[in-house]
Amino acid sequence: MKFVREIGVSGKIGAASVLLFPTVFRSRDSRADFAHQLYKTGISTLPVVTVVSLFIGMILALQVGLELRRFNQEIYLGAAVMISLIREMAPFSCGLCLASCVGSSIAAEIGTMKVNDEIDALKIMGISPVKFLAVPRILALSVMAPLVAFYCCVIGTIGGGIVGSTQLGVDFGQYISSAMSIAEEKDLFVGLVKALVFGNVIGIVAVSEGLGTKLGATGVGKSTQRSVIVSFLLILMLGYMITRLCYQ
Amino acid sequence: MSIINFRNVTKEFDGVKVLDDLSFGIEKGEILAIVGPSGTGKSVTLKHIVGLLEPDSGTIDIEGKPHIGYLFQSGALLAWLTVYENIALPLKETTRLKEREIDALVKEALEKVELSDAADKYPSEISGGMQKRAGLARAIVRQADVVLYDEPTSGLDPVTSLHIHQLIRKLNREQGITSVVVTHDIQGALNLADRIMLLKSGRAVEIAKVADFAASGNPEVREFLIAMQGEMQ
Ligand SMILES: Nc1ncnc2c1ncn2[C@@H]1O[C@H](COP(=O)(O)OP(=O)(O)OP(=O)(O)O)[C@@H](O)[C@H]1O
Ligand SMILES: [Mg+2]
């Protein structure tokens, strides 16, 4: 029962984030706020995203490369790394980074506002918390996630190339041309759509958990934790479903 | 003439009755103090007036369409906006006023609460009493007809408390703002208010003019007054 109600609330917030997205451009203040959210989502997470995707590319290259070497097929290392990155690992690791860095901070921020009566104060002033707080944050995540995923893919490919050329004796130029030859537009498109869906979901979950924060000392901690767990689960499940739909 | 009227309002949370058949009226232009032990539904009562909570049964009639301001116990300022921006927020978001008009209104509100010097500070950089005054400025900036104060002086020193009470009275006398003040400070309430209501277990035990309240023969009022006096000594 409670679960159904929570889904309903999240659905409403999700619908609002789509229907109300023009409102983030309505005034100078809201545009500035949106720009700030874009910055927080995209730029401030870059260090973490860089390290994560670099290592994911390196791990992929090492695992796959050792297998390929047994069959003297190292020339395909670039292709193997690129395929897993562009289709799955880049959107996936982008989703995990955004959920743990950005989603958690949104849930904590809005949860703290709830506990401090700031959400109620907004309502009394006639300001919709969904329009004022949720929409710019969810939109920023949806816009930034594909860009971050693309960045993950680039950095991951470079990471794989470094391992390839230093550990496996694969020429870097050959690695890159192998990687580029396999990358299809469809893969890129599906990967970016996946990231967009993840970003949207992370935002909706974070805002819903934040707004649903229970009063009391542990409330904010609980909703932050829940926002990360729920986002992780949804990223995995939705990732599988989108793959299933697009690659039959 | 009552501007806000509670009729047989009942509210339950998880099976516990917090407001129990509560009926009372708030007169236009008065200062009504609501006192009572902790957890008796004082904040819940205020939240019903502004529609943050809905009664399970009973009605709350509000005369006309007054602008209602609400001062939260915490001040409830947005942390990432300055004092000035916090006060300007309701005007920017809900009116079509020009920047210049907004500026004038905000400066006027800041002056009323004597906070002009702190306009560019962030909430975390000012004291608790200043946060409450900033919250008050935000509550009145849209020309409020009614202001609800939830424990405006709790956690403040006696001098600052007195200052806030003077401010509430000034706004009431000069602008005719109907004021509802929830407080634990019974002495302050006796000095400040026109009428006092004692709320206990979600019921209005007594609602009377200050002098009558202090002299009330109602045993629950006496008990409450004695308990509060004990606490003060
Ligand atoms: N949104 C809510 N959900 C569940 N219970 C609530 C909610 N709001 C208030 N309560 C409960 O209602 C009761 C009355 O709360 P209220 O905040 O009105 O007390 P109060 O008289 O203002 O007390 P205090 O002087 O301590 O502020 C409390 O037991 C509180 O736990
Ligand atoms: Mg209270």
Side-chain angles (χ1 to χ4, degrees):
Chain A
M1 193 52 226
K2 193 163 151 260
F3 183 69
V4 174
R5 201 169 53 227
E6 279 175 25
I7 298 265
V9 170
S10 304
K12 248 187 259 168
I13 292 172
S17 74
V18 175
L19 296 175
L20 296 177
F21 87 86
T23 62
V24 303
F25 303 108
R26 75 192 180 282
S27 72
R28 205 171 61 206
D29 287 330
S30 58
R31 283 192 295 273
D33 180 43
F34 182 54
H36 177 67
Q37 297 304 332
L38 284 175
Y39 173 83
K40 268 206 328 203
T41 317
I43 314 299
S44 69
T45 51
L46 275 189
V48 175
V49 169
T50 306
V51 174
V52 167
S53 45
L54 194 70
F55 273 91
I56 284 185
M58 286 163 57
I59 291 166
L60 280 174
L62 201 55
Q63 286 286 10
V64 177
L66 291 174
E67 277 318 290
L68 287 174
R69 191 153 72 177
R70 286 192 5 203
F71 305 103
N72 282 326
Q73 301 287 327
E74 293 101 313
I75 44 164
Y76 295 122
L77 180 65
V81 170
M82 175 58 100
I83 276 294
S84 30
L85 274 175
I86 200 170
R87 287 187 178 173
E88 298 294 342
M89 292 316 285
F92 179 70
S93 49
C94 149
L96 295 197
C97 286
L98 290 183
S100 44
C101 298
V102 181
S104 62
S105 107
I106 291 176
E109 180 188 28
I110 295 186
T112 307
M113 292 183 67
K114 172 79 182 274
V115 174
N116 287 344
D117 292 326
E118 290 168 44
I119 301 292
D120 279 347
L122 285 175
K123 285 187 196 160
I124 290 169
M125 290 188 281
I127 301 171
S128 150
V130 170
K131 193 162 112 183
F132 185 70
L133 298 172
V135 174
R137 283 165 179 72
I138 296 172
L139 194 63
L141 270 163
S142 311
V143 169
M144 274 301 177
L147 297 178
V148 172
F150 185 77
Y151 176 80
C152 283
C153 194
V154 172
I155 297 293
T157 307
I158 293 173
I162 293 171
V163 167
S165 57
T166 59
Q167 316 259 307
L168 301 161
V170 181
D171 175 58
F172 195 79
Q174 194 188 32
Y175 167 90
I176 293 292
S177 64
S178 158
M180 295 312 286
S181 70
I182 194 98
E184 282 183 27
E185 273 142 34
K186 180 190 170 189
D187 293 330
L188 181 64
F189 181 73
V190 173
L192 295 186
V193 167
K194 232 182 230 178
L196 187 145
V197 171
F198 292 167
N200 195 254
V201 164
I202 293 165
I204 293 170
V205 168
V207 169
S208 313
E209 291 295 339
L211 289 177
T213 299
K214 295 272 177 305
L215 306 188
T218 56
V220 176
K222 275 240 169 63
S223 48
T224 308
Q225 180 196 36
R226 279 181 49 125
S227 91
V228 174
I229 293 173
V230 173
S231 298
F232 275 23
L233 294 177
L234 287 175
I235 286 170
L236 285 166
M237 291 185 223
L238 290 169
Y240 174 78
M241 280 192 236
I242 297 173
T243 305
R244 183 70 209 271
L245 275 177
C246 298
Y247 298 97
Q248 289 281 359
Chain B
M1 193 189 70
S2 293
I3 182 166
I4 294 164
N5 230 325
F6 277 62
R7 285 212 192 94
N8 310 102
V9 172
T10 300
K11 179 74 178 177
E12 283 188 10
F13 286 115
D14 311 317
V16 180
K17 263 198 183 131
V18 174
L19 298 185
D20 186 4
D21 201 25
L22 177 65
S23 298
F24 73 98
I26 299 164
E27 309 284 319
K28 194 168 181 166
E30 76 168 339
I31 300 180
L32 173 68
I34 301 181
V35 296
S38 198
T40 47
K42 302 185 296 293
S43 300
V44 168
T45 303
L46 292 190
K47 286 181 181 166
H48 275 82
I49 298 176
V50 285
L52 285 173
L53 292 172
E54 304 253 326
D56 294 334
S57 66
T59 55
I60 296 148
D61 295 321
I62 299 182
E63 189 78 21
K65 282 202 169 54
H67 265 246
I68 303 181
Y70 198 122
L71 178 62
F72 284 90
Q73 190 169 336
S74 55
L77 303 167
L78 302 187
W80 69 89
L81 298 179
T82 64
V83 167
Y84 181 99
E85 290 164 339
N86 263 290
I87 299 168
L89 186 70
L91 298 173
K92 281 189 179 159
E93 291 289 323
T94 64
T95 70
R96 290 177 175 285
L97 295 175
K98 299 207 180 57
E99 199 126 324
R100 197 161 31 80
E101 299 167 309
I102 291 177
D103 185 62
L105 286 170
V106 173
K107 290 210 167 118
E108 189 190 323
L110 277 168
E111 243 160 62
K112 272 183 204 155
V113 299
E114 294 164 40
L115 218 53
S116 303
D117 294 337
D120 295 324
K121 294 227 164 78
Y122 286 90
S124 57
E125 300 170 339
I126 58 178
S127 69
M130 288 161 95
Q131 289 181 13
K132 288 210 170 145
R133 280 187 277 152
L136 178 53
R138 186 178 64 179
I140 60 173
V141 74
R142 280 196 313 173
Q143 316 300 320
D145 307 303
V146 179
V147 176
L148 313 177
Y149 302 87
D150 198 350
E151 305 194 14
T153 58
S154 70
L156 300 182
D157 65 89
V159 176
T160 315
S161 298
L162 188 65
H163 191 131
I164 298 244
H165 278 171
Q166 283 166 347
L167 208 57
I168 294 173
R169 182 180 284 278
K170 192 174 90 177
L171 289 169
N172 168 263
R173 295 291 182 262
E174 289 176 8
Q175 287 170 249
I177 293 180
T178 306
S179 310
V180 182
V181 186
V182 165
T183 181
H184 281 139
D185 172 10
I186 182 72
Q187 199 55 51
L190 290 169
N191 291 331
L192 170 72
D194 300 313
R195 290 197 306 154
I196 299 190
M197 173 163 90
L198 172 61
L199 205 61
K200 210 173 159 195
S201 311
R203 290 174 151 274
V205 172
E206 174 81 284
I207 178 166
K209 288 221 153 46
V210 166
D212 301 336
F213 185 89
S216 169
N218 185 322
E220 290 190 279
V221 175
R222 298 249 56 92
E223 192 188 324
F224 179 76
L225 286 175
I226 289 165
M228 292 311 278
Q229 257 152 24
E231 196 170 286
M232 271 184 291
Q233 282 151 15

